[in-house]
Amino acid sequence: NRSGFHSRRQNTRARQVMGEFGHVYKEQYAVALFNSVRFEIEGGGGPQSQLLHRKNPLEDHSIFSGGLFQYLEGNKKWRNRFVFVADTYDVSFYENKVAHERGLHPKGTINCAGYKALTSMEEYLDLVSTSLPGVKAKVGSGPFVKGATQFPLILWHPYARHHYFCVLTEKEQTKWHAVLQDCVRHSNNGLSEECRVQTPAFTDAVRLHRQAQGHYGTWDMMCGGPPQILANLVMETLYPELRNLIGPRLKGKIKQRQRNWMLVSRSTYVLHSVLSQAPEVCLKTPRLDAALRTDMDQIITSKEHVSGKIRALVLPRAEQLLRRSVQPYVSSILEALMEPTSRGFSEVRDVFFRELVEVSKNTLNGGGKDKLGEHMEKISMLAFHPVKMQSCYEKVEQLSLEGLQQRFDVSSPSVFVQRAQILMREQMDNAVYTFEQLLHQSLEEKDQRGENLCKTIQCCQDRVLKKYDYDSSTVRKKFFREALLQIIIPYMLKQLAPSCHPDLPPFQELIFEDFSRFILVENMFEEVVLQSVTKDIMMAVKEAAVQKRHNLYRDSMILTNSDPDLHLLGESPSVDWAAQFGGGDEESDESPEGCGRSKWRRRQVVSMIKLDGMGPLPYESSTPMEPEPNSPDNVQEIRYLINPVVEMVVPASEEDLAVLTNGTEPGMLTLEGEEEEVTLITTVVEEVHRKSLQWKSAPQEVSKILLEVLKILFLTLNLTLCCHRS
């Protein structure tokens, strides 16, 4: 009864939070629509990009696939799983590779939004311990999971289910960790920037709702799409209440209490994920849009009138706060952002350059167009290869706001790190796509080989790098300005709110009722604060560019029509190098459901893991049609690995049985010049219907067949044992 009461109470609170958010979202939707239409009418925008941008770069591609051991909480055992990462970056796991190729439903699918990819149990235990105060497990003792190998991979989430995997080698762990980090990075970036109304309305509603609860500053759990973000928003409110209510009542040892708390948290999160659906106010768009366009001039005039009065009230206080508490820190914040971010973008340039140098070297060494097609097919997906991009991502992961985080209420720099990494990936893909189009155009114009082909590659490379440097500067300057605003504006709003908010309600009365949906005093107050600090931020970034720090270009340097015909190529589809130039396809993943350019083949961005001197790993399918063997879970299964048991079905007459039971005894058997020991032979006789007379052969014939079969089986066993010894 007490449990049911708590559950009803939590559901009531969750619905209350969703109701409050829905009201804010409805208001912000009308404001966002007004801003979108005004921008459409008045125009505007920054410098034009020099590099081309492709709309769907991962078409007909998957990211990665391979074998992993997965921990099953139900029976507390480790099992083999074939894991497939599609172009959506969802992680799906299957019973084996055959199940995936046959199009069967996966055993489970993970949306990695909000997760952290970990490679050590110590780091995991630290995160688990923070979820329940006063309960801290000792280092070296997992909460309830004992790793099957020394190379774990853990997906941790503050509220949702945790996922445990492991691999056999450090090389595998490194590659899988990079892939999982990329899945988290992509999934966290779940709000589409192309939605000019819904996305700004949603993000502003989340921010205003959190500010009403006293939570200013950046938020690490602004991850995924609207359902995940709303579930996180509800949990941010309910989680402390739930922990204080249930935490003290948890009994048992540390591991048991941690397990029970994680079950409670997970169940609550799943429930709220179902309830958290964005309000469907967008259904009213046509009516709002029509009313807005009809009265646009009057609405703008009314807004400017009220904004002027709010500015007269707020601006003096904002400027005083700015001079006293913000301006002294702007340069240090900017430097903390610029150093690692610029090194990351520089590394993107270097990685791109090194890949093209390899192409030129192989072409010069007589590779020809076939080799060119093979290399270009790999370079085409360079931006989405998490292992090759890892060195770029690691540069920006060194970003630290230590000393500034507490002052400006920045929970962690991860928000800025992941945003910079997404921008780096976009710039890499833009550079690759532009190079592809330029090179393909040159190759179509005339047949080129040897040194001429190298010169063409070099020419295209130089053109692209010049454009990359310009776009990189533009993108970074915009990123720095936005990051500074994200850090400073919440701090200023928090400081100004106590003195300014009581004076704002009277201004709402100055707005005509018909326009009140599109003009909100709270939003105009924030715009005034934004305007007060924008000038200082723009000047700080501009000064850094004038001093040519970190290879930033001055705003006055604008490349206009530097390549007038280039953007005509932007409408062209991605080049299928493998089809046109006969390139290899080592990194592909055959799939019957694959479609598109190759119709029957879906290319895989990251190649499968193969260890030096070894074939596929024990839990990988050696051929597409073979099911993957399960991992040993008990002593009996380990015994079978040490002493394999081979079953053979051999048709035999009554005379043959004497040969099989008496003529073949345990002992030493010579195969391929080496002696192998057979410890036990058991004969089981079953009567079956004889469909033909083809098995009426002499005992010697049966023995010969049996020996040939044994020879093949022992050769297979030798290969398996060699792999295990390695």
Side-chain angles (χ1 to χ4, degrees), residues 462-651:
D462 292 342
R463 291 167 68 185
V464 171
L465 289 176
K466 182 179 179 181
K467 297 175 187 298
Y468 173 84
D469 289 340
Y470 180 81
D471 279 8
S472 167
S473 173
T474 303
V475 168
R476 280 181 291 143
K477 285 190 293 185
K478 182 181 178 183
F479 168 72
F480 297 147
R481 289 192 290 264
E482 291 177 349
L484 283 168
L485 289 173
Q486 281 184 275
I487 294 170
I488 293 171
I489 293 297
Y491 170 77
M492 293 188 67
L493 291 175
K494 185 176 182 179
Q495 300 299 317
L496 293 171
S499 61
C500 293
H501 273 178
D503 299 328
L504 294 180
F507 291 108
Q508 193 68 40
E509 299 175 3
L510 301 177
I511 304 170
F512 290 117
E513 186 177 353
D514 292 344
F515 305 156
S516 59
R517 290 176 296 179
F518 308 110
I519 307 173
L520 298 178
V521 170
E522 178 68 24
N523 290 77
M524 287 188 286
F525 164 66
E526 294 193 353
E527 288 174 7
V528 171
V529 176
L530 176 66
Q531 292 166 5
S532 70
V533 74
T534 298
K535 183 180 178 181
D536 288 88
I537 289 176
M538 296 288 286
M539 287 299 297
V541 176
K542 183 178 180 179
E543 183 180 346
V546 169
Q547 296 175 1
K548 297 182 179 180
R549 292 159 62 192
H550 306 294
N551 200 29
L552 291 176
Y553 288 178
R554 297 190 304 273
D555 294 342
S556 58
M557 183 175 178
I558 301 176
L559 298 180
T560 55
N561 296 325
S562 60
D563 216 337
D565 298 329
L566 177 62
H567 285 275
L568 297 177
L569 298 175
E571 302 300 322
S572 305
S574 296
V575 182
D576 189 348
W577 295 98
Q580 294 190 29
F581 296 94
D585 201 355
E586 297 175 3
E587 302 184 359
S588 63
D589 179 29
E590 297 185 17
S591 176
E593 76 273 9
C595 58
R597 294 179 295 170
S598 299
K599 294 186 179 179
W600 60 277
R601 186 177 289 271
R602 180 178 291 272
R603 294 174 175 83
Q604 182 168 294
V605 175
V606 187
S607 60
M608 298 290 286
I609 301 169
K610 291 185 180 179
L611 306 183
D612 297 336
M614 292 179 59
L617 294 170
Y619 48 73
E620 289 182 1
S621 296
S622 56
T623 65
M625 297 306 296
E626 292 180 0
E628 299 172 352
N630 287 331
S631 58
D633 293 309
N634 52 48
V635 175
Q636 190 65 26
E637 292 185 15
I638 294 174
R639 285 174 180 163
Y640 286 148
L641 284 178
I642 299 173
N643 297 304
V645 176
V646 180
E647 293 184 3
M648 294 180 294
V649 179
V650 181

Side-chain angles (χ1 to χ4, degrees), residues 182 379-386 389 393 425 428-429 432:
D182 219 28
I379 290 177
S380 179
M381 289 291 106
L382 180 60
F384 302 94
H385 197 299
M389 289 291 292
Y393 296 148
R425 187 175 70 185
M428 173 67 91
D429 190 55
V432 168

Side-chain angles (χ1 to χ4, degrees), residues 157-424:
H157 193 284
Y159 312 128
R161 176 192 292 272
H162 300 170
H163 299 274
Y164 313 93
F165 304 95
C166 68
V167 290
L168 296 179
T169 66
E170 186 177 2
K171 182 178 180 180
E172 290 178 276
Q173 187 188 44
T174 300
K175 181 172 279 192
W176 270 112
H177 186 230
V179 171
L180 293 176
Q181 281 183 310
D182 219 28
C183 292
V184 172
R185 190 179 299 117
H186 180 88
S187 301
N188 284 350
N189 190 43
L191 296 176
S192 173
E193 295 181 5
E194 296 179 1
C195 298
R196 303 294 184 184
V197 179
Q198 287 92 339
T199 296
F202 184 81
T203 54
D204 284 345
V206 171
R207 180 176 52 77
L208 290 169
H209 181 273
R210 295 187 71 246
Q211 287 177 186
Q213 309 301 317
H215 302 301
Y216 289 80
T218 58
W219 186 36
D220 289 349
M221 296 309 294
M222 190 77 172
C223 305
Q228 290 106 328
I229 294 173
L230 289 179
N232 295 338
L233 189 67
V234 172
M235 289 298 289
E236 184 182 37
T237 302
L238 299 188
Y239 195 75
E241 300 176 11
L242 197 65
R243 186 170 57 186
N244 294 335
L245 190 67
I246 296 179
R249 293 184 170 87
L250 296 176
K251 305 299 181 184
K253 296 182 179 179
I254 291 177
K255 293 181 182 180
Q256 187 62 40
R257 279 184 283 168
Q258 287 179 332
R259 181 190 295 113
N260 290 341
W261 171 246
M262 291 166 65
L263 288 173
V264 170
S265 174
R266 180 198 309 169
S267 302
T268 308
Y269 185 72
V270 169
L271 174 63
H272 296 151
S273 297
V274 174
L275 295 176
S276 300
Q277 299 296 326
E280 297 294 336
V281 300
C282 54
L283 298 176
K284 301 179 182 179
T285 300
R287 191 177 67 182
L288 281 175
D289 191 272
L292 182 60
R293 292 181 183 275
T294 302
D295 301 323
M296 193 66 184
D297 291 340
Q298 292 174 292
I299 296 173
I300 293 175
T301 302
S302 177
K303 181 180 179 181
E304 293 300 327
H305 173 68
V306 179
S307 292
K309 294 185 176 296
I310 295 177
R311 189 179 300 109
L313 170 70
V314 175
L315 196 56
R317 305 176 190 178
E319 289 178 342
Q320 183 181 0
L321 174 65
L322 184 65
R323 288 192 300 270
R324 185 181 69 250
S325 304
V326 175
Q327 283 179 345
Y329 300 96
V330 171
S331 59
S332 57
I333 298 174
L334 180 58
E335 185 60 35
L337 292 167
M338 284 197 303
E339 176 69 24
T341 304
S342 296
R343 279 195 277 111
F345 275 84
S346 179
E347 181 68 13
V348 169
R349 189 187 197 278
D350 292 344
V351 170
F352 176 66
F353 177 77
R354 287 196 296 268
E355 291 290 331
L356 296 189
V357 168
E358 283 298 314
V359 173
S360 297
K361 285 168 59 178
N362 286 295
T363 304
L364 195 60
N365 291 335
K369 286 191 175 181
D370 288 348
K371 276 292 182 182
L372 176 65
E374 179 181 334
H375 285 286
M376 287 305 301
E377 187 65 26
K378 295 177 181 179
I379 290 177
S380 179
M381 289 291 106
L382 180 60
F384 302 94
H385 197 299
V387 179
K388 291 184 178 180
M389 289 291 292
Q390 188 63 21
S391 62
C392 310
Y393 296 148
E394 286 175 350
K395 301 290 184 185
V396 77
E397 283 173 359
Q398 298 171 16
L399 192 155
S400 173
L401 298 174
E402 192 173 350
L404 299 169
Q405 284 184 220
Q406 188 173 1
R407 179 177 185 82
F408 290 98
D409 200 15
V410 179
S411 55
S412 80
S414 62
V415 173
F416 308 110
V417 169
Q418 291 195 8
R419 178 58 183 164
Q421 290 171 339
I422 291 292
L423 294 173
M424 288 158 57

